[in-house]
């Protein structure tokens, strides 16, 4: 017995650290390729853009130190300010509309037959190239396109959408293409709420809106929060959809429709005569990144509530 | 909204089969089946070369992402400890970084490596920008697998690498396939990086070919029938994939938001 115990302890002492060491080595071997690639080609450039934003640089000649001048210049640049306003409009007003529309669709589709099919159709734009969506959307709103044909049919004036209201068209298009994603997420989480909650509420005389306010909202709050974070991030990434609207007229879309992503492209590689102002564009990249962080933190703060278990 | 989406889709397919004159003259009539539009798009807009490039890129980059991300996902999803937790966060933060933020230093880096206007360079970029999301997805997937099998393998004396290869990888097959499909879709549609890093026509991908075609139309006069044929070439593979694997795609893309 004593021998056995001693044997056991020695075995334990001998092997324990080797196993942990072995496990640690295995951990490293497995994770290393991804970590290396990600660090060199993703994290490195992210950090570098902060450094570049403090310089004047065309990518070829020597960098010249400018300190924070790029940033002060940006905030006096009408083009950038307009682009930043557009980005915020998409993020905030667009976000509110996307979520209102998603909830409306959710309520409308609750009792619908064939809702799975409906959901697949609404989700569909998410797997299509934004450029294609942009072409289709632009075509709908063209001077003799379907929207104007419909307006004309109702005896209304047909505005020159793509000429006079291009940003509005883009804005609505973004809402159209994105809503399906949020409907899908929210539908998955509302489907988890037991039916008898609603039955009980109905017996108590609660209407659909009251049920929505007192049952659906509180129980899906977590998912709503995460969806809002996803919207924040993805709305700042929008590029292709806006860019493609420049396709038939010029290399870049009209300046008043730019968001910060198009601004960065326009200041560097885009246009007929690329500007290659790497430092200046990096400053706006830094502002974009800071906005992501600020908005995500704010959202988490504002929307934090105690989770409800059910 | 359902009706609108279906209508737009049907309308796209029908328009792609029309003569140009017909589109505006009788927008709601049955098309004359101008299959020539497709041949025309294929020839005049270099869609042929672009389709081949896109196909090669997606067929190599999407599996490559999964090959790199799967071991990392396993290591992060199945280890407890501060290192694993902070590495998971390290990858997750990348999801919040828009590509346009990193594109400038990336361009300079790729230029020094002589990988600009080079399909291998684009391949490399596609793999890296897809990493954060894929690692995140697979970490979650591996973490959800039962621990018993892994413990049994450890008791039988299998090393961690061996456990990963022979036990966990086959178990995670469904998650890996989802990751593969999502990356294939994302990369097939990708335009921004291609726009910045590809300059010559013979290296462009399908979205670029479509953009180029749009730009060319202002000189040669617009032929919307041909334009829509081009659009359809880009969309149809995704549509077929969606009809075939719809549920898996939807669940994969919205994963990580539910509990």
């Amino acid at each position: 017995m004593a021998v056995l115990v001693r044997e056991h302890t020695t075995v334990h002492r001998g092997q324990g650290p080797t196993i942990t060491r072995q496990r640690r080595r295995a951990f490293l071997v497995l994770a290393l390729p991804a970590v290396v690639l990600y660090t060199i080609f993703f994290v490195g450039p992210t950090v570098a853009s902060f450094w570049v934003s403090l310089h004047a640089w065309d990518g070829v000649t020597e960098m010249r130190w400018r300190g924070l001048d790029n940033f002060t210049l940006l905030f006096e640049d009408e083009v950038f300010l307009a682009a930043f306003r557009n980005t915020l409009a998409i993020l905030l007003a667009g976000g509110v509309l996307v979520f209102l529309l998603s909830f409306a669709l959710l309520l409308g589709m609750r009792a619908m037959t064939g809702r799975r099919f409906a959901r697949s159709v609404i989700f569909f734009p998410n797997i299509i190239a934004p450029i294609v969506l942009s072409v289709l959307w632009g075509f709908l709103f063209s001077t003799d396109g379907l929207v104007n044909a419909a307006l004309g049919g109702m005896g209304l004036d047909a505005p020159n959408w793509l000429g006079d209201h291009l940003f509005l068209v883009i804005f609505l298009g973004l809402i159209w293409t994105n809503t399906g994603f949020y409907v899908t997420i929210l539908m998955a989480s509302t489907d988890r709420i037991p039916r008898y909650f609603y039955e009980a509420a109905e017996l108590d005389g609660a209407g659909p809106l009251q049920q929505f306010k007192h049952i659906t909202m509180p129980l899906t709050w977590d998912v709503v929060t995460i969806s809002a974070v996803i919207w924040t991030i993805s709305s700042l990434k929008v590029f292709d959809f806006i860019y493609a609207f420049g396709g038939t007229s010029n290399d870049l879309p009209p300046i008043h429709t730019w968001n910060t992503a198009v601004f960065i492209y326009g200041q560097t590689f885009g246009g007929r005569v690329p500007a290659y102002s790497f430092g200046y564009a990096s400053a706006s990249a830094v502002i974009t990144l800071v906005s992501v962080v600020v908005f995500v933190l704010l959202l988490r703060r504002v929307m934090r509530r105690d989770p409800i278990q059910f | 909204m359902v009706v609108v989406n279906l209508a737009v889709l049907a309308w796209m397919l029908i328009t792609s089969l029309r003569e140009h004159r017909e589109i505006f003259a009788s927008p709601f009539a049955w098309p004359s089946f101008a299959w020539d539009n497709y041949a025309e798009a294929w020839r005049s807009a270099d869609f042929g070369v672009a389709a081949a490039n896109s196909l090669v890129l997606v067929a190599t980059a999407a599996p490559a992402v999964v090959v790199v991300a799967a071991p990392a996902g396993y290591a992060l999803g199945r280890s407890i400890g501060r290192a694993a937790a902070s590495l998971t966060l390290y990858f997750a933060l990348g999801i919040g970084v828009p590509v346009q933020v990193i594109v400038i230093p990336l361009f300079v880096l790729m230029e020094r490596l002589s990988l600009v206007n080079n399909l291998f360079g684009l391949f490399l970029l596609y793999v890296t920008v897809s990493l954060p999301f894929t690692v995140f997805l697979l970490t979650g997937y591996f973490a959800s697998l039962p621990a018993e099998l892994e413990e049994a393998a450890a008791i039988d004396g299998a090393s961690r690498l061996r456990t990963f290869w022979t036990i966990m990888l086959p178990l995670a097959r469904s998650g890996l396939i989802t990751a593969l499909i999502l990356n294939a879709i994302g990369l097939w549609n990708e335009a921004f990086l291609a726009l910045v890093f590809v300059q010559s026509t013979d290296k462009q991908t399908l979205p670029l070919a479509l953009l180029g075609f749009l730009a060319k139309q202002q000189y040669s006069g617009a032929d919307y029938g041909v334009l829509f044929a081009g659009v359809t070439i880009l969309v149809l593979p995704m549509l077929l994939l969606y009809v075939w694997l719809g549920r898996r795609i939807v669940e994969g893309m919205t994963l990580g938001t539910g509990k």
Side-chain angles (χ1 to χ4, degrees):
Chain A
M1 193 61 192
V3 175
L4 259 180
V5 168
R6 196 181 319 133
E7 240 174 35
H8 181 251
T9 49
T10 49
V11 163
H12 181 78
R13 212 180 282 149
Q15 234 178 29
T18 3
I19 281 188
T20 20
R21 207 179 309 137
Q22 199 199 345
R23 282 181 79 95
R24 199 165 291 154
R25 204 182 314 134
F27 177 85
L28 264 179
V29 170
L30 289 167
L32 203 63
V35 172
V36 169
L37 264 182
Y38 174 63
T39 307
I40 296 178
F41 290 98
F42 204 102
V43 180
T46 311
V47 177
S49 64
F50 280 87
W51 180 244
V52 176
S53 74
L54 302 174
H55 296 80
W57 196 29
D58 60 1
V60 183
T61 53
E62 197 82 346
M63 284 170 128
R64 267 185 305 114
W65 177 261
R66 281 175 63 86
L68 293 174
D69 285 1
N70 281 333
F71 290 90
T72 39
L73 215 60
L74 264 184
F75 283 108
E76 287 160 8
D77 184 344
E78 274 307 316
V79 178
F80 174 75
L81 289 178
F84 197 60
R85 265 198 301 276
N86 285 343
T87 308
L88 290 184
I90 295 170
L91 169 59
L92 299 172
V96 169
L97 282 176
V98 163
F99 280 91
L100 282 181
L101 191 58
S102 299
F103 278 121
L105 284 169
L106 211 58
L107 276 177
M109 283 161 72
R110 263 177 64 106
M112 198 174 133
T113 46
R115 59 202 284 269
R116 297 233 158 260
F117 176 72
R119 192 192 64 175
S120 322
V121 174
I122 293 183
F123 189 81
F124 184 61
N126 281 290
I127 64 158
I128 300 291
I131 292 176
V132 168
L133 297 171
S134 173
V135 170
L136 293 174
W137 195 247
F139 205 76
L140 284 180
F141 283 89
S142 62
T143 341
D144 33 9
L146 291 185
V147 171
N148 278 356
L151 284 178
M154 287 188 288
L156 294 168
D157 271 350
N160 177 7
W161 290 104
L162 299 185
D164 302 336
H165 308 283
L166 186 53
F167 185 69
L168 182 68
V169 170
I170 291 174
F171 181 80
L172 294 176
L174 284 170
I175 290 169
W176 163 58
T177 56
N178 282 296
T179 301
F181 183 77
Y182 299 95
V183 171
T184 310
I185 295 176
L186 294 171
M187 196 188 266
S189 81
T190 46
D191 281 354
R192 291 178 59 251
I193 301 172
R195 279 228 74 77
Y196 55 79
F197 283 15
Y198 292 101
E199 284 156 12
E202 216 156 289
L203 286 179
D204 292 342
L209 272 178
Q210 275 178 308
Q211 289 178 24
F212 179 75
K213 189 177 163 215
H214 295 288
I215 303 173
T216 314
M217 264 320 245
L219 292 182
T220 54
W221 192 254
D222 282 359
V223 178
V224 175
T225 311
I226 295 170
S227 309
V229 171
I230 296 178
W231 169 259
T232 307
I233 293 171
S234 62
S235 76
L236 285 162
K237 289 182 182 173
V238 170
F239 173 83
D240 307 11
F241 193 83
I242 301 178
Y243 179 75
F245 273 97
T248 45
S249 55
N250 201 332
D251 285 1
L252 284 169
I255 285 174
H256 70 94
T257 64
W258 287 13
N259 69 348
T260 48
V262 181
F263 179 83
I264 293 172
Y265 183 69
Q267 291 297 330
T268 49
F269 313 103
R272 298 233 166 111
V273 188
Y276 293 116
S277 341
F278 282 4
Y280 193 52
S282 286
S284 85
V286 166
I287 292 176
T288 308
L289 197 59
V290 170
S291 328
V292 174
V293 175
V294 167
F295 276 108
V296 169
L297 288 180
L298 259 174
L299 262 179
R300 299 211 72 108
R301 181 117 215 189
V302 171
M303 299 191 68
R304 186 163 55 204
R305 286 193 195 167
D306 291 328
I308 300 167
Q309 298 292 332
F310 64 95
Chain B
M1 195 152 171
V2 175
V3 178
V4 169
N5 277 2
L6 282 178
V8 169
L9 188 67
W11 174 70
M12 176 196 89
L13 291 174
I14 292 173
T15 308
S16 75
L17 289 172
R18 282 172 200 267
E19 302 280 350
H20 178 61
R21 251 176 318 118
E22 205 185 325
I23 295 174
F24 293 103
S26 48
F28 297 102
W30 195 245
S32 55
F33 293 101
W35 294 105
D36 288 356
N37 283 346
Y38 283 86
E40 182 64 29
W42 198 260
R43 240 171 343 104
S44 75
D46 308 300
F47 275 115
V49 186
N53 286 340
S54 270
L55 213 59
V56 169
L57 264 177
V58 169
T60 51
V65 179
V66 177
V67 166
V68 177
Y74 168 68
L76 299 178
R78 310 287 319 175
S79 318
I80 10 176
R82 208 174 293 157
S86 43
L87 263 185
T88 309
L89 184 67
Y90 180 63
F91 276 107
L93 284 178
I95 298 174
V97 179
V99 195
Q100 73 265 18
V101 168
I102 65 168
V103 74
I104 293 165
L106 211 49
F107 184 81
V108 176
L109 175 66
M110 297 304 273
E111 205 164 41
R112 299 218 167 134
L113 298 171
S114 324
L115 287 175
V116 171
N117 199 18
N118 177 317
L119 281 182
F120 176 72
L122 199 56
F123 161 83
L124 203 63
L125 291 176
Y126 278 180
V127 172
T128 21
V129 297
S130 313
L131 269 182
F133 174 73
T134 314
V135 169
F136 177 75
L137 184 84
L138 291 178
T139 302
Y141 197 83
F142 276 111
S144 73
L145 294 176
E148 286 84 358
L149 284 165
E150 206 183 12
E151 284 160 8
I155 289 169
D156 289 346
S159 73
R160 192 131 154 106
L161 291 177
R162 205 187 138 103
T163 313
F164 167 65
W165 187 250
T166 56
I167 311 239
M168 299 308 272
L169 212 51
L171 273 181
R173 201 174 53 202
S174 164
L176 299 178
I177 292 173
T178 305
L180 186 72
I181 297 168
L182 294 186
N183 280 312
I185 294 173
L187 296 178
W188 178 264
N189 294 333
E190 205 284 332
F192 181 65
L193 286 173
L195 200 58
V196 172
F197 286 93
V198 172
Q199 286 133 3
S200 54
T201 323
D202 60 321
K203 296 201 174 73
Q204 65 186 357
T205 57
L206 269 179
L208 280 194
L210 184 62
L211 280 174
F213 188 62
L214 278 174
K216 217 191 287 178
Q217 283 199 322
Q218 61 175 313
Y219 303 114
S220 59
D223 184 341
Y224 285 106
V226 180
L227 171 64
F228 278 83
V231 164
T232 306
I233 294 174
L234 187 56
V235 169
L236 213 55
M238 294 298 104
L239 178 64
L240 295 178
L241 200 66
Y242 191 59
V243 170
W244 180 33
L245 296 164
R247 212 166 59 89
R248 191 195 278 275
I249 294 171
V250 173
E251 277 168 10
M253 283 176 92
T254 52
L255 198 81
T257 50
K259 273 187 248 178

